[in-house]
PDB file of all heavy atoms in Angstrom:
ATOM      1  N   ILE B 215      57.402 151.821  -2.228  1.00 94.00           N
ATOM      2  CA  ILE B 215      57.190 150.928  -3.361  1.00 94.00           C
ATOM      3  C   ILE B 215      56.778 151.754  -4.572  1.00 94.00           C
ATOM      4  O   ILE B 215      55.989 152.703  -4.450  1.00 94.00           O
ATOM      5  CB  ILE B 215      56.086 149.888  -3.041  1.00 94.00           C
ATOM      6  CG1 ILE B 215      56.490 149.052  -1.824  1.00 94.00           C
ATOM      7  CG2 ILE B 215      55.821 148.981  -4.236  1.00 94.00           C
ATOM      8  CD1 ILE B 215      55.367 148.246  -1.233  1.00 94.00           C
ATOM      9  N   VAL B 216      57.355 151.404  -5.721  1.00 93.00           N
ATOM     10  CA  VAL B 216      56.968 152.041  -6.978  1.00 93.00           C
ATOM     11  C   VAL B 216      56.374 150.955  -7.852  1.00 93.00           C
ATOM     12  O   VAL B 216      56.958 149.892  -8.003  1.00 93.00           O
ATOM     13  CB  VAL B 216      58.198 152.678  -7.669  1.00 93.00           C
ATOM     14  CG1 VAL B 216      57.894 152.987  -9.114  1.00 93.00           C
ATOM     15  CG2 VAL B 216      58.623 153.930  -6.923  1.00 93.00           C
ATOM     16  N   VAL B 217      55.180 151.178  -8.399  1.00 93.00           N
ATOM     17  CA  VAL B 217      54.541 150.154  -9.217  1.00 93.00           C
ATOM     18  C   VAL B 217      54.533 150.597 -10.678  1.00 93.00           C
ATOM     19  O   VAL B 217      54.082 151.701 -11.011  1.00 93.00           O
ATOM     20  CB  VAL B 217      53.088 149.894  -8.757  1.00 93.00           C
ATOM     21  CG1 VAL B 217      52.509 148.700  -9.512  1.00 93.00           C
ATOM     22  CG2 VAL B 217      53.046 149.648  -7.266  1.00 93.00           C
ATOM     23  N   LEU B 218      55.052 149.732 -11.538  1.00 92.00           N
ATOM     24  CA  LEU B 218      55.049 150.011 -12.964  1.00 92.00           C
ATOM     25  C   LEU B 218      54.031 149.114 -13.639  1.00 92.00           C
ATOM     26  O   LEU B 218      53.816 147.981 -13.225  1.00 92.00           O
ATOM     27  CB  LEU B 218      56.426 149.717 -13.588  1.00 92.00           C
ATOM     28  CG  LEU B 218      57.619 150.582 -13.215  1.00 92.00           C
ATOM     29  CD1 LEU B 218      58.818 150.152 -14.058  1.00 92.00           C
ATOM     30  CD2 LEU B 218      57.322 152.042 -13.433  1.00 92.00           C
ATOM     31  N   ASN B 219      53.402 149.630 -14.693  1.00 90.00           N
ATOM     32  CA  ASN B 219      52.587 148.780 -15.545  1.00 90.00           C
ATOM     33  C   ASN B 219      52.701 149.295 -16.971  1.00 90.00           C
ATOM     34  O   ASN B 219      52.508 150.484 -17.221  1.00 90.00           O
ATOM     35  CB  ASN B 219      51.125 148.805 -15.089  1.00 90.00           C
ATOM     36  CG  ASN B 219      50.300 147.784 -15.866  1.00 90.00           C
ATOM     37  OD1 ASN B 219      50.788 146.689 -16.148  1.00 90.00           O
ATOM     38  ND2 ASN B 219      49.084 148.150 -16.211  1.00 90.00           N
ATOM     39  N   ARG B 220      53.013 148.412 -17.875  1.00 88.00           N
ATOM     40  CA  ARG B 220      53.164 148.771 -19.284  1.00 88.00           C
ATOM     41  C   ARG B 220      54.047 150.000 -19.475  1.00 88.00           C
ATOM     42  O   ARG B 220      53.698 150.923 -20.212  1.00 88.00           O
ATOM     43  CB  ARG B 220      51.811 149.010 -19.911  1.00 88.00           C
ATOM     44  CG  ARG B 220      50.983 147.743 -19.833  1.00 88.00           C
ATOM     45  CD  ARG B 220      49.699 147.933 -20.528  1.00 88.00           C
ATOM     46  NE  ARG B 220      49.010 146.669 -20.646  1.00 88.00           N
ATOM     47  CZ  ARG B 220      47.898 146.494 -21.304  1.00 88.00           C
ATOM     48  NH1 ARG B 220      47.347 147.523 -21.922  1.00 88.00           N
ATOM     49  NH2 ARG B 220      47.340 145.321 -21.377  1.00 88.00           N
ATOM     50  N   GLY B 221      55.140 150.028 -18.764  1.00 88.00           N
ATOM     51  CA  GLY B 221      56.107 151.096 -18.970  1.00 88.00           C
ATOM     52  C   GLY B 221      55.798 152.385 -18.240  1.00 88.00           C
ATOM     53  O   GLY B 221      56.558 153.334 -18.320  1.00 88.00           O
ATOM     54  N   GLU B 222      54.649 152.448 -17.551  1.00 90.00           N
ATOM     55  CA  GLU B 222      54.330 153.700 -16.864  1.00 90.00           C
ATOM     56  C   GLU B 222      54.226 153.494 -15.362  1.00 90.00           C
ATOM     57  O   GLU B 222      53.815 152.434 -14.893  1.00 90.00           O
ATOM     58  CB  GLU B 222      53.009 154.261 -17.396  1.00 90.00           C
ATOM     59  CG  GLU B 222      53.071 154.423 -18.896  1.00 90.00           C
ATOM     60  CD  GLU B 222      52.042 155.386 -19.422  1.00 90.00           C
ATOM     61  OE1 GLU B 222      51.388 156.048 -18.603  1.00 90.00           O
ATOM     62  OE2 GLU B 222      51.913 155.464 -20.653  1.00 90.00           O
ATOM     63  N   LEU B 223      54.577 154.534 -14.634  1.00 91.00           N
ATOM     64  CA  LEU B 223      54.483 154.479 -13.191  1.00 91.00           C
ATOM     65  C   LEU B 223      53.022 154.694 -12.807  1.00 91.00           C
ATOM     66  O   LEU B 223      52.433 155.714 -13.171  1.00 91.00           O
ATOM     67  CB  LEU B 223      55.368 155.590 -12.612  1.00 91.00           C
ATOM     68  CG  LEU B 223      55.691 155.541 -11.125  1.00 91.00           C
ATOM     69  CD1 LEU B 223      57.039 156.172 -10.904  1.00 91.00           C
ATOM     70  CD2 LEU B 223      54.628 156.235 -10.314  1.00 91.00           C
ATOM     71  N   ILE B 224      52.409 153.705 -12.127  1.00 91.00           N
ATOM     72  CA  ILE B 224      50.992 153.886 -11.813  1.00 91.00           C
ATOM     73  C   ILE B 224      50.747 154.179 -10.343  1.00 91.00           C
ATOM     74  O   ILE B 224      49.676 154.648  -9.971  1.00 91.00           O
ATOM     75  CB  ILE B 224      50.145 152.672 -12.241  1.00 91.00           C
ATOM     76  CG1 ILE B 224      50.638 151.393 -11.568  1.00 91.00           C
ATOM     77  CG2 ILE B 224      50.145 152.526 -13.751  1.00 91.00           C
ATOM     78  CD1 ILE B 224      49.638 150.253 -11.705  1.00 91.00           C
ATOM     79  N   ALA B 225      51.728 153.874  -9.490  1.00 91.00           N
ATOM     80  CA  ALA B 225      51.515 154.192  -8.083  1.00 91.00           C
ATOM     81  C   ALA B 225      52.841 154.269  -7.370  1.00 91.00           C
ATOM     82  O   ALA B 225      53.812 153.667  -7.786  1.00 91.00           O
ATOM     83  CB  ALA B 225      50.643 153.117  -7.421  1.00 91.00           C
ATOM     84  N   GLU B 226      52.875 155.049  -6.295  1.00 92.00           N
ATOM     85  CA  GLU B 226      54.086 155.180  -5.514  1.00 92.00           C
ATOM     86  C   GLU B 226      53.688 155.480  -4.084  1.00 92.00           C
ATOM     87  O   GLU B 226      52.760 156.248  -3.848  1.00 92.00           O
ATOM     88  CB  GLU B 226      54.939 156.333  -6.067  1.00 92.00           C
ATOM     89  CG  GLU B 226      56.263 156.486  -5.374  1.00 92.00           C
ATOM     90  CD  GLU B 226      57.096 157.633  -5.948  1.00 92.00           C
ATOM     91  OE1 GLU B 226      56.693 158.215  -6.968  1.00 92.00           O
ATOM     92  OE2 GLU B 226      58.128 157.926  -5.354  1.00 92.00           O
ATOM     93  N   GLY B 227      54.352 154.838  -3.125  1.00 91.00           N
ATOM     94  CA  GLY B 227      54.011 155.117  -1.735  1.00 91.00           C
ATOM     95  C   GLY B 227      54.452 153.991  -0.825  1.00 91.00           C
ATOM     96  O   GLY B 227      55.146 153.061  -1.261  1.00 91.00           O
ATOM     97  N   ASP B 228      54.054 154.059   0.448  1.00 90.00           N
ATOM     98  CA  ASP B 228      54.451 152.992   1.365  1.00 90.00           C
ATOM     99  C   ASP B 228      53.491 151.808   1.236  1.00 90.00           C
ATOM    100  O   ASP B 228      52.516 151.856   0.478  1.00 90.00           O
ATOM    101  CB  ASP B 228      54.519 153.524   2.808  1.00 90.00           C
ATOM    102  CG  ASP B 228      53.181 154.065   3.274  1.00 90.00           C
ATOM    103  OD1 ASP B 228      52.185 153.889   2.533  1.00 90.00           O
ATOM    104  OD2 ASP B 228      53.139 154.673   4.363  1.00 90.00           O
ATOM    105  N   GLY B 229      53.775 150.731   1.963  1.00 89.00           N
ATOM    106  CA  GLY B 229      53.018 149.493   1.834  1.00 89.00           C
ATOM    107  C   GLY B 229      51.506 149.669   1.875  1.00 89.00           C
ATOM    108  O   GLY B 229      50.811 149.334   0.907  1.00 89.00           O
ATOM    109  N   PRO B 230      50.948 150.255   2.973  1.00 90.00           N
ATOM    110  CA  PRO B 230      49.498 150.386   3.060  1.00 90.00           C
ATOM    111  C   PRO B 230      48.895 151.180   1.902  1.00 90.00           C
ATOM    112  O   PRO B 230      47.845 150.801   1.362  1.00 90.00           O
ATOM    113  CB  PRO B 230      49.310 151.138   4.392  1.00 90.00           C
ATOM    114  CG  PRO B 230      50.535 150.802   5.187  1.00 90.00           C
ATOM    115  CD  PRO B 230      51.636 150.649   4.213  1.00 90.00           C
TER     116      PRO B 230
END
Side-chain angles (χ1 to χ4, degrees):
Chain B
I215 300 166
V216 164
V217 187
L218 292 185
N219 187 38
R220 299 184 171 186
E222 305 200 9
L223 194 150
I224 58 166
E226 184 180 353
D228 60 8

